Amino acid sequence: MHAIPFLVSFITSGRLHGLGIGSTLSEVDQAIHSDFVDVVDEEGLSLRRDYGFLEFAFNPGSEWVMANCSIGLHRLASGRSMAKRWRKSMRVDFPRYLAWDELRDELSRTPGAPCLRVTDQGGFLEYSAAAANVNVSVIVSDDHETRGRSLGHGDVWSVSMWAAARAQ
């Protein structure tokens, strides 16, 4: 599968390989088949699982439960090795660079695609799909006009899923 339909599904559903906020660490182990590094904070209050350009964060409980997930597409610009490993293990083909225009065009053709709210994050534009609790960060810094070992203007920096804020 190409990255664009994969990311459109992630943005519209708030699910990644069937996983969402609240999924357990054992569910992640069943769904994701790739090498990783686990980092637990000193107090044992959080676990970060890093797969290279994909990262999960977990909160403790009777089991570790997913609090967020981020696909750091910016990490692919410096080389293709992470993308090649992911394609082999998870069968999703990520490009070295992904233009927001391409992803947005596919989203616009997708039935039921969420409304995206845009906010300026100083060098980035963040497009939020509140219904799915997913954000797309797009680089717009003038320092990144052209692509190289880093992204260019208009490229997707990351796509992240976060737990919804609790009502007060």
Side-chain angles (χ1 to χ4, degrees), residues 94-158:
F94 282 91
R96 187 172 178 193
Y97 311 100
L98 180 64
W100 168 239
D101 289 344
E102 292 178 57
L103 182 55
R104 184 182 56 216
D105 288 348
E106 187 65 26
L107 269 169
S108 72
R109 292 189 293 273
T110 302
C115 262
L116 299 174
R117 187 192 70 199
V118 63
T119 55
D120 187 336
Q121 298 293 328
F124 295 88
L125 291 178
E126 185 173 86
Y127 295 85
S128 299
N133 297 319
V134 175
N135 298 327
V136 181
S137 296
V138 178
I139 192 162
V140 293
S141 170
D142 291 337
D143 295 338
H144 295 274
E145 286 300 315
T146 59
R147 291 171 167 168
R149 291 190 60 76
S150 64
L151 303 180
H153 185 89
D155 283 331
V156 176
W157 181 266
S158 65

Side-chain angles (χ1 to χ4, degrees), residues 46-88:
S46 69
L47 165 67
R48 183 176 56 86
R49 176 164 286 181
D50 189 342
Y51 289 92
F53 71 100
L54 174 70
E55 188 173 295
F56 293 96
F58 298 87
N59 292 327
S62 57
E63 279 191 78
W64 290 105
V65 294
M66 186 193 311
N68 67 58
C69 172
S70 183
I71 303 171
L73 296 168
H74 63 280
R75 296 196 64 199
L76 299 177
S78 63
R80 296 283 302 149
S81 61
M82 280 188 264
K84 286 179 184 177
R85 284 194 312 268
W86 195 257
R87 181 179 60 237
K88 183 178 177 183

